[in-house]
Amino acid sequence: MDVQLYVYDLSKGLARQLSMQLLGTQIDAVYHTALVFGGVEYLFGAGIQTCTPASSHLGNPVEIIDLGQTCLPEYVIAEYLDSLRKTYTPESYDLFMHNCNNFTNDFALFLVGKGIPEHITSLPQTVLNTPFGQMLRPSLEQSMKSVTQAPVPPQNTALHATNGALPNGTSAGHGQDATKQLDEHGKVHDVTSSKVLQSLLGAAKASCAAIFFTSATCPPCKIVYPAYDQLAAEAGSKATLIKVDISRAYDIASQYSVRATPTFMTFLHGEKENQWNGADEGKLLGNIRMLIQMAYPPHPHSSLRLNLIRGHPSSPVSFSKHGPLEKLVTKLDTSDPIVAEMRSFIESRESSDFAIGLPDLPEFASYLQSSIDTLELNVLFAAMDLWRLSLVDPRVSGFFSILPGQVTIDKLLRHLFNFGATCSYPLRLTSLHVLANLFTSPVFCGKIVRQMPETLASITTFVAESLLDDQHPQARVVASALAFNLTLSHQKAITENDQPSDGIPDTEAVELTASLFEAIQREKESDEALRLELFALSLLALNAPVDGEISQMFKVMDMANALRSKFKEVKEKFPNQVGLVKELADELLAG
């Protein structure tokens, strides 16, 4: 998809005419910007808003700048945009320090790997650098508020409906109507085309579908319309509910030999499952709900009382504490502009109430990759620690979740494995911190499970080795946090679609399970490490297929009894974790 920057002038030409007289410096416009791609305009004012291009209260842009193209999948863009919503709230808007241009710069950096023109992002500081600009600041903020934070009327501009755009940025072409239909989860699909019907049924082969054959001249049909709509809302993405008016779709009625209405047909995993006639609302509700249960049988663990396990932290663990940055950067080449820029970014981020504009992340990624190749091990950890601190910001970790940032992660992991046991402890510890902090971005949380198999395999091996490091308790604590972050992403990926196959692949899950179990057995020093290890193991067990490798591994290794044998030791050394150990051994693994 092409990505464009729409540039508006909030002054409507007055800045160009009067700025020299008022401020003593020439300003061509009071810039307001928005990003446009896939037929949707994204802007920040009253929060992050969307509209069709050039349809907001701002009118037409004075300039349109081509920024490049993005081939990122829609769900990745949507996840990153959701992470930005926490930063760019309506309350956080500030005309000079946290405005629409900060938003478009951050978003553009993620989409195309570069920000927006500097003359736009630097304008607020240019104004504030003038004596009169400082005096005018309060009145400017007040006068512009009704323009910059005006709400945009709701429009149908969700990411999935962006002009028929598919995840790879290509056009949906003649299949656009079917694609749009497939994206409307939670709604009844009114179908008149046999081609669209087959597309919907084909997409539902992994789950289930129902067809309600109705007609405009069928009063009993209308009685069960509300119930059918209710079932669609309940089902969401788990079932595809279709309505066919046979008075408008003769070919479909003939294909399925439907001669009376209402007629209902249900399909399970691509095969016809049931058919019945009549406007019996109770029968309709019961049959469709049973169909969904058959498609998604509840996991045996769903009925267990696991209050402590289900009360696990809902967010990934991150590490933001640090000593004086000055002491850290002195180990590096302080004459390098990117080192100074990153230090300034970290310090400003910690001291400001606003989201600071992002530094040159592509340049920082290049610096890190070069550092891995050239710096001595006892110095490299300082560069990695700078990276670790920047990753606390989800915008930064989101950038490193995609190319070219992802290359940096893989290069670090290869470097660590090349050195093996000779790798210095500070570098190993800092690398664990870096990997844990990458999970601050929901983009990374999703991609590491779904789209980064080699990176996932390397991280899993690194975690497994670090969990069993008897010499360094702190390494075990950070490794247990990283293991927890991995298994939390695994759990979320599974529960999103009720599909165990969406989680961590069996090879990595088995390796994690074995190392976590061994680490729990050996842990004798750190309460925090044990707590996170227990949660991580529980998350792997919670939705594990009953006959899958993980469940079999729990039985073969007799993990429940092994954990029970540790009760006494846990009670003496880690009393806060007794309940968690008991729940894991006596409830979750008891079967």
Side-chain angles (χ1 to χ4, degrees), residues 475-486:
R476 294 199 303 276
V477 172
V478 184
S480 64
L482 179 51
F484 171 76
N485 290 353
L486 268 175

Side-chain angles (χ1 to χ4, degrees), residues 375-434:
L375 295 182
E376 297 291 332
L377 286 181
N378 61 345
V379 179
L380 179 57
F381 88 90
M384 295 300 103
D385 211 28
L386 200 64
W387 187 15
R388 185 262 302 185
L389 294 173
S390 70
L391 290 171
V392 174
D393 191 314
R395 298 172 297 168
V396 179
S397 50
F399 171 82
F400 281 98
S401 304
I402 60 171
L403 294 172
Q406 186 181 322
V407 175
T408 317
I409 302 170
D410 293 333
K411 191 162 190 173
L412 171 63
L413 289 166
R414 285 196 301 271
H415 192 69
L416 292 170
F417 289 130
N418 286 340
F419 278 95
T422 64
C423 182
S424 69
Y425 170 65
L427 178 59
R428 282 200 307 112
L429 181 63
T430 305
S431 298
L432 286 167
H433 281 126
V434 165

